[in-house]
Amino acid sequence: MTVKQQFINKEFYKTFLNDSDKQPIAQLANLFRTPDEEIDLSSVRFAQGEVYFENKDFETAVFKWEKVENQYKDWAQKNIADSYYEVGAFDTAEKLYRDVKTESRTLTSEIFLQLFSLYIDISNYEEADRIIKQAVKYNPDYPNVTKIARKFYEKNHDWNSAVDLASNESIRTEDIKWFVVLREYIENGATKEMSPSYFMGALLSLAKVDLEHFELMVEALWNSYRERSEYVNWLQTFNEMLFQINVETGIKWKRLPFIYSNTYRELIESNYLVAQLEEMMPSFLTNWLRITDFDGAVLATTATLAWDRLFPGRLDYQIVVDAEMAFEQLQQTPDCFENGKELFENILQWALINEIEVGNRFVWWTNQLTNFDQTTMLVAGTIGNGKSSFVNSLLGEKMMGSSTTMPVLFEQSVDTNITVYSKEGDTALAEYADFYDLTTVENELLKGDELVHYELSNPFLQKHKISIIDTPGIDGNDLNTKALLQSVKLADRLVYVLNATAPYTETERSLLITIQKQLPTLPIHFILNKMDSIYSNDEVDRVHAEIEEKIKLDFPTAKVLPYSSIYSNQDQFSELESFIEANVLSTTANSKQSEKLLLAVRKLINFLLEKRVEKENELHANVQWNEVLDEKLNGLLHSLKDKEMEHAQTISSTYRELKDEIKYDLKLSIPAMLKECKELIKEDSDFNSILETLNEEMNNRIQEYVRQSTLPKLNTALQNWIRESGSLLEGTQSYLADMCDSLNSYIGSEQLSLECDFKVLDDWRRDADRMTSMIQLDEMNILLNSSPSQFLLKSSGLILGLLPQNKSKLVAQYQKYVDNVNYDEVSSLVSTRFFLQFEMFEKTLPRDLSMFLQLPYEHLYELVDQTRESISNYVATLDEMKANPSGYFDPITFYTVRLRQLEFLTLRK
């Protein structure tokens, strides 16, 4: 045991003991009683303190250690602190520990550990944490210090500190056990909040020590980040780090290839965006190629090549070259039919989730592409080559005219059905005559994407389990070429009909080479038609051999059959059947399932891309359409408001005119009528009450005049006014009806109704009858208003009425008075009273006109609100689509990457 170890265990005293039976205390005491120059008494005191401490005599131990003055003084001070610690004087012990100043690494580490224990005992875990970190940092090699630290961190669930300790110790010691501890922390989720870059140092160290454990730790980290936002960052960081590891060529990785393969599938089949992966993927693919094993080489190479095709220039040129070379060196590639089906179903599911309507036409196309129960033979040819006649001869009946305007697929079925498929939808044809007219008459509305599906019961189709596509003759028309290139994708075999008199022209050759480039595995064979035009058998053989040799330069496996559509002999037809059985219905003809399936996938992807463009165009069109509708509606609203104001002014004005006319009549008639009352004054009149009598008569005459003259006139005028107003309002209704028809025509439905409320005219008629049927004016004081002249007349009447000789003079005076009275005020009063209800009626006219137009206004404003809401919704959808195009296009991009990989494998086979 070393001296330092003796100091740590407080067993230094044993160096002074001999083999006698005396107790240590006695032996050490004897050293004091018999001094020896070779013995340092401070050392003896130090040893005595250890013995007393061991016997728990801490006071005496402290006394002895306080006397130590030699090189052991620092240890003695530490031991004094231990004594106070033992008796529970923690504050004193802590101070004494901290006061020790020493250069001894062992003593310093011991003090750290004692302080750590002290802080644990007093539950000061913050200081305990701080001091154990100091101890580890100061001397991590000190016995048990890292073990103690790890136990403390784990007990307190301080996983960050525990991970730090394991990571630092792994790098420092390169001891596998620490790497294992670190991996356990990772597997238990203790590192989930840590950045991927944190672990790169440990991984680089581990790679130098043990690649098997390196893979285990990488796998643990990979799994820990997989479901977190840091996942892509982890992949980027790890792959950059992996470049720093110089792995020997040919090393057998046990886990990494599988991890890379799974991760790649996960990345391109999940909801990641291109922007999230484009920076990381080059290093990912590069490393994958470096470490892949034989089983993973297919996926790694095709993934690299597919990524390069979709994102050219992103990968290093040499990596692409290496991938191409590795791909070419593969002994065999797997059949990708099942993978293609999975991809196809994935895309359909994505379309369903994103509410993208695939439509009957596309479903039909894909069903045809993936129909592997029969062989589809497409027949093509230049116009005039007898192509349709050849098809008729196969079917055994005249189904086609001289040439078809669109592709026609003849398929065996028990029932006869004829359906036209196009982008605009599908249309069922009722009978053969409709089909014949459609496919033989030129139609300027054709777009080149139409196809007729003709299901019929036919012996030839049934016998050979074959369907036949007849296509428009090639004549330089782009639509016909487009129709051929579109429908040839449905075919398992292409049979091209040549004209024996002008066979295999440069135009035909160019077209067929184009088809071959698009569909390199599609077998192409030829019918050399119109052989009846050649005069001799030798010439037939010569033309046949010459054309076949010329064709084989471009299509080495193609077969050529001389044929004449106009001959219907059994030998020729048997030869044709043998030709079809050998070349169209052969095993190899039905072995292109994967290729056709991938063609369906390609078509589906293109369809989804077109749908996005269509959706944006549709949204733009909807915005513009609704903006036009909004403009039309607002124009109509402004026009209607103008008409309302115009009608209110016109109707009110004409009403006011008739009312003023009646007022004027009253103003003229009442004074004259009242003056005529003077004739009632006679000599035999009772002058005592003459004025009262005249006043009563005047009121009666006014009442009678209003009843007999004014009211009938007014009623007639009001009825005329109502008729004229009704004509005006009917004009407005007619205008609104025209505008309604125009708007509904634009909308495409009878959505808008602008019916006015003509009940207002009935209300006016009722009010007119009520106001002109009966009126009772209050009696007015016309002559009895106590004016001075009236008073004098009345007084003189009382006096002179007693004098008979003066009655004639009195009559004249009264008559003069009645004739000279100003009756304007009376007229005004009568007019005011009479027209009071008519004035009130006039004030209601604007409200009545508003009620007349209330429903049109309500409907228009409702439609305006709907239109503007639609515009807002369409614009918001467009803005969202423009702001996040990757949300739509990126999944399709990854589907395309997967498709390209499968295409590499299929074309290689």
Side-chain angles (χ1 to χ4, degrees):
M1 183 182 297
T2 64
V3 174
K4 288 182 179 179
Q5 191 62 45
Q6 289 176 337
F7 286 166
I8 293 169
N9 297 335
K10 293 186 176 61
E11 294 180 351
F12 175 70
Y13 71 90
K14 292 182 179 179
T15 60
F16 293 100
L17 301 181
N18 51 37
D19 294 333
S20 66
D21 294 333
K22 289 183 179 180
Q23 293 295 321
I25 293 177
Q27 291 190 50
L28 292 173
N30 286 336
L31 292 176
F32 267 96
R33 287 194 294 270
T34 57
D36 188 335
E37 291 181 0
E38 295 182 0
I39 296 177
D40 181 1
L41 294 181
S42 283
S43 297
V44 174
R45 292 189 182 96
F46 185 87
Q48 287 177 316
E50 289 179 334
V51 175
Y52 289 120
F53 185 91
E54 186 178 279
N55 288 278
K56 301 191 183 303
D57 185 357
F58 301 115
E59 184 177 358
T60 305
V62 169
F63 174 77
K64 290 293 184 178
W65 282 326
E66 285 177 341
K67 302 297 184 180
V68 175
E69 294 295 339
N70 61 2
Q71 69 271 26
Y72 305 143
K73 182 176 182 179
D74 292 339
W75 278 98
Q77 187 172 349
K78 179 261 182 189
N79 290 344
I80 293 171
D82 289 346
S83 299
Y84 281 103
Y85 181 10
E86 290 295 327
V87 299
F90 299 123
D91 290 343
T92 303
E94 179 187 9
K95 182 179 183 306
L96 290 171
Y97 285 134
R98 291 186 175 280
D99 287 342
V100 176
K101 308 298 180 186
T102 179
E103 295 181 359
S104 169
R105 294 180 64 80
T106 301
L107 177 56
T108 301
S109 294
E110 279 295 309
I111 291 173
F112 279 140
L113 292 177
Q114 286 299 99
L115 280 170
F116 171 75
S117 298
L118 184 150
Y119 290 135
I120 293 294
D121 287 344
I122 64 175
S123 299
N124 188 345
Y125 298 110
E126 185 177 345
E127 278 299 303
D129 179 73
R130 186 185 63 81
I131 209 70
I132 196 62
K133 283 183 169 64
Q134 279 189 311
V136 172
K137 182 179 180 180
Y138 179 75
N139 190 2
D141 288 324
Y142 193 74
N144 294 325
V145 68
T146 53
K147 181 178 179 181
I148 292 169
R150 177 189 170 193
K151 184 177 180 181
F152 173 73
Y153 297 145
E154 290 179 353
K155 182 178 180 181
N156 290 280
H157 301 288
D158 183 2
W159 300 114
N160 286 341
S161 296
V163 172
D164 273 341
L165 176 67
S167 178
N168 293 335
E169 287 302 290
S170 296
I171 297 171
R172 187 182 69 85
T173 65
E174 296 186 346
D175 189 339
I176 287 296
K177 71 178 183 182
W178 277 112
F179 288 112
V180 172
V181 169
L182 180 58
R183 190 180 77 239
E184 289 174 352
Y185 288 149
I186 296 168
E187 291 171 344
N188 293 332
T191 64
K192 60 183 180 180
E193 301 302 326
M194 294 183 173
S195 170
S197 59
Y198 176 86
F199 298 97
M200 294 306 106
L203 287 174
L204 285 170
S205 295
L206 182 54
K208 294 185 294 183
V209 176
D210 191 308
L211 283 179
E212 183 177 352
H213 279 279
F214 171 80
E215 286 189 278
L216 288 171
M217 185 177 290
V218 168
E219 183 178 35
L221 284 167
W222 215 296
N223 292 333
S224 73
Y225 285 115
R226 177 166 278 108
E227 301 300 329
R228 294 171 49 206
S229 60
E230 289 281 341
Y231 189 40
V232 176
N233 182 24
W234 152 255
L235 296 174
Q236 177 73 24
T237 305
F238 172 75
N239 279 288
E240 289 175 356
M241 182 276 297
L242 195 58
F243 285 134
Q244 302 176 41
I245 300 175
N246 295 320
V247 182
E248 295 180 9
T249 303
I251 190 171
K252 183 68 175 178
W253 293 93
K254 296 181 179 179
R255 298 176 180 273
L256 274 184
F258 179 76
I259 293 172
Y260 269 87
S261 297
N262 278 355
T263 300
Y264 177 76
R265 292 190 183 94
E266 176 185 85
L267 292 175
I268 64 171
E269 294 177 14
S270 299
N271 296 322
Y272 288 99
L273 301 178
V274 171
Q276 293 176 282
L277 304 183
E278 60 181 344
E279 184 179 351
M280 177 275 300
M281 194 58 76
S283 60
F284 179 93
L285 293 172
T286 301
N287 280 319
W288 190 11
L289 283 173
R290 290 174 65 206
I291 59 91
T292 192
D293 54 13
F294 177 79
D295 293 334
V298 171
L299 186 58
T301 54
T302 55
T304 303
L305 295 176
W307 194 267
D308 179 64
R309 299 304 188 270
L310 267 295
F311 304 97
R314 304 287 180 88
L315 296 176
D316 184 85
Y317 173 75
Q318 188 58 48
I319 296 300
V320 177
V321 172
D322 292 344
E324 290 174 342
M325 292 178 60
F327 183 70
E328 291 300 325
Q329 291 171 5
L330 293 175
Q331 295 297 319
Q332 59 182 6
T333 54
D335 183 26
C336 55
F337 180 74
E338 291 301 322
N339 289 333
K341 281 180 61 178
E342 180 184 0
L343 175 57
F344 190 78
E345 291 167 1
N346 290 161
I347 300 174
L348 285 179
Q349 184 66 26
W350 180 85
L352 180 64
I353 293 173
N354 286 271
E355 299 179 346
I356 302 171
E357 183 63 40
V358 174
N360 293 337
R361 174 178 177 270
F362 187 81
V363 171
W364 181 86
W365 267 91
T366 52
N367 286 339
Q368 290 298 322
L369 282 171
T370 55
N371 182 4
F372 305 123
D373 295 331
Q374 63 182 11
T375 301
T376 300
M377 178 179 73
L378 182 138
V379 181
T382 304
I383 192 167
N385 284 2
K387 169 187 58 62
S388 294
S389 298
F390 170 70
V391 172
N392 289 336
S393 68
L394 287 175
L395 297 174
E397 54 184 316
K398 185 177 180 181
M399 302 297 300
M400 305 301 301
S402 59
S403 182
T404 179
T405 59
M406 63 185 71
V408 180
L409 170 63
F410 293 101
E411 191 170 42
Q412 168 63 28
S413 176
V414 175
D415 301 318
T416 299
N417 295 293
I418 311 171
T419 308
V420 182
Y421 289 98
S422 69
K423 283 188 176 180
E424 282 66 37
D426 51 276
T427 306
L429 301 182
E431 54 188 19
Y432 172 78
D434 297 327
F435 161 77
Y436 191 84
D437 290 342
L438 180 69
T439 57
T440 56
V441 179
E442 291 295 331
N443 189 341
E444 294 181 357
L445 299 178
L446 293 178
K447 298 180 179 179
D449 58 9
E450 298 87 356
L451 185 142
V452 181
H453 184 207
Y454 200 133
E455 296 176 283
L456 74 163
S457 178
N458 182 273
F460 181 82
L461 300 179
Q462 185 175 17
K463 174 183 177 181
H464 298 292
K465 292 185 178 180
I466 190 174
S467 57
I468 298 174
I469 302 177
D470 186 15
T471 56
I474 303 303
D475 58 356
N477 186 320
D478 290 341
L479 283 181
N480 289 345
T481 303
K482 176 182 177 182
L484 170 60
L485 295 177
Q486 184 81 348
S487 53
V488 75
K489 297 173 183 176
L490 295 172
D492 299 301
R493 281 290 191 270
L494 169 60
V495 173
Y496 198 90
V497 178
L498 299 171
N499 188 338
T501 60
Y504 202 52
T505 65
E506 187 57 35
T507 300
E508 291 173 326
R509 175 179 180 273
S510 176
L511 175 63
L512 290 169
I513 288 176
T514 299
I515 293 174
Q516 187 184 49
K517 287 180 179 178
Q518 292 184 4
L519 301 166
T521 61
L522 176 70
I524 301 176
H525 299 293
F526 296 84
I527 297 295
L528 190 57
N529 198 21
K530 297 190 176 182
M531 294 302 290
D532 54 281
S533 61
I534 299 178
Y535 57 85
S536 69
N537 290 334
D538 291 341
E539 184 65 12
V540 167
D541 294 338
R542 186 192 66 78
V543 171
H544 179 200
E546 183 178 300
I547 294 306
E548 191 168 46
E549 183 180 357
K550 187 176 180 182
I551 286 172
K552 285 186 177 294
L553 294 175
D554 298 314
F555 306 99
T557 60
K559 303 297 181 183
V560 181
L561 175 70
Y563 189 76
S564 176
S565 300
I566 65 172
Y567 294 151
S568 58
N569 62 76
Q570 188 61 41
D571 290 341
Q572 180 182 241
F573 190 77
S574 297
E575 187 179 357
L576 175 61
E577 277 195 300
S578 299
F579 179 83
I580 290 175
E581 289 171 357
N583 300 293
V584 176
L585 303 178
S586 63
T587 304
T588 54
N590 293 322
S591 65
K592 303 300 179 183
Q593 293 185 353
S594 296
E595 182 182 340
K596 290 185 69 176
L597 179 60
L598 296 185
L599 187 60
V601 174
R602 172 68 67 180
K603 191 170 183 63
L604 177 57
I605 289 174
N606 291 337
F607 172 82
L608 294 176
L609 292 173
E610 291 173 3
K611 270 293 182 181
R612 171 67 176 208
V613 176
E614 286 179 11
K615 179 67 173 177
E616 286 197 26
N617 291 339
E618 180 184 343
L619 288 171
H620 280 297
N622 286 337
V623 170
Q624 293 173 358
W625 186 90
N626 279 280
E627 286 175 343
V628 171
L629 178 59
D630 184 61
E631 186 178 345
K632 288 176 179 288
L633 291 172
N634 278 284
L636 179 54
L637 280 170
H638 286 304
S639 175
L640 196 56
K641 286 183 182 295
D642 291 341
K643 284 188 175 295
E644 181 184 0
M645 294 176 63
E646 180 185 334
H647 292 350
Q649 183 178 359
T650 301
I651 291 172
S652 296
S653 175
T654 55
Y655 178 83
R656 199 175 301 112
E657 287 176 2
L658 75 88
K659 185 185 67 176
D660 290 345
E661 185 177 345
I662 301 298
K663 277 186 178 182
Y664 184 71
D665 179 71
L666 284 175
K667 184 177 181 181
L668 292 178
S669 301
I670 287 176
M673 181 177 55
L674 294 180
K675 287 181 180 183
E676 289 175 357
C677 289
K678 68 182 180 181
E679 297 174 358
L680 299 175
I681 305 171
K682 301 180 185 214
E683 290 184 4
D684 60 351
S685 300
D686 184 0
F687 289 99
N688 290 326
S689 60
I690 188 63
L691 291 180
E692 287 82 353
T693 301
L694 289 172
N695 193 77
E696 182 179 354
E697 180 63 22
M698 287 180 175
N699 276 285
N700 289 337
R701 289 191 178 191
I702 290 172
Q703 290 278 5
E704 186 66 18
Y705 182 81
V706 168
R707 188 163 44 251
Q708 296 296 328
S709 178
T710 304
L711 287 178
K713 284 183 184 178
L714 187 55
N715 184 272
T716 301
L718 284 173
Q719 295 304 324
N720 291 334
W721 170 79
I722 291 172
R723 280 194 297 274
E724 292 173 1
S725 299
S727 298
L728 195 64
L729 296 181
E730 285 173 359
T732 300
Q733 178 64 76
S734 178
Y735 167 76
L736 286 176
D738 291 341
M739 295 305 298
C740 187
D741 289 342
S742 175
L743 286 170
N744 282 331
S745 175
Y746 182 77
I747 295 170
S749 67
E750 298 299 318
Q751 179 177 348
L752 188 61
S753 175
L754 300 177
E755 294 296 328
C756 299
D757 187 2
F758 280 93
K759 185 175 177 293
V760 66
L761 295 177
D762 295 333
D763 293 341
W764 287 354
R765 292 188 188 97
R766 185 193 67 239
D767 290 342
D769 290 341
R770 174 182 55 78
M771 292 187 295
T772 58
S773 62
M774 176 67 82
I775 190 168
Q776 183 65 42
L777 297 174
D778 294 338
E779 187 172 339
M780 295 177 288
N781 189 358
I782 302 172
L783 297 176
L784 302 177
N785 57 3
S786 300
S787 66
S789 60
Q790 287 176 320
F791 178 74
L792 289 174
L793 279 172
K794 190 172 183 181
S795 299
S796 63
L798 292 173
I799 298 171
L800 297 177
L802 301 175
L803 303 174
Q805 67 276 19
N806 294 324
K807 282 188 177 182
S808 59
K809 188 180 291 187
L810 184 61
V811 168
Q813 190 173 358
Y814 267 105
Q815 286 180 340
K816 181 181 179 182
Y817 170 73
V818 171
D819 195 43
N820 292 330
V821 169
N822 187 342
Y823 295 103
D824 290 343
E825 185 177 349
V826 174
S827 298
S828 297
L829 184 59
V830 170
S831 178
T832 300
R833 291 180 177 180
F834 178 78
F835 281 103
L836 179 61
Q837 59 182 338
F838 294 95
E839 298 285 353
M840 295 176 62
F841 176 78
E842 181 181 359
K843 291 179 180 178
T844 64
L845 291 178
R847 179 185 61 82
D848 290 342
L849 288 172
S850 177
M851 291 178 62
F852 173 74
L853 295 171
Q854 182 177 352
L855 285 177
Y857 273 128
E858 286 180 356
H859 290 162
L860 285 171
Y861 280 123
E862 181 181 359
L863 187 54
V864 165
D865 289 341
Q866 292 175 0
T867 302
R868 291 182 178 176
E869 183 179 3
S870 296
I871 292 172
S872 177
N873 291 337
Y874 288 134
V875 169
T877 304
L878 267 173
D879 289 343
E880 184 179 352
M881 291 174 69
K882 291 177 180 177
N884 185 30
S886 55
Y888 186 92
F889 289 112
D890 283 11
I892 297 177
T893 299
F894 288 128
Y895 290 137
T896 307
V897 170
R898 293 168 63 185
L899 172 62
R900 291 303 296 265
Q901 288 183 255
L902 297 177
E903 287 175 339
F904 277 121
L905 296 175
T906 301
L907 296 180
R908 187 178 191 274
K909 293 175 72 69

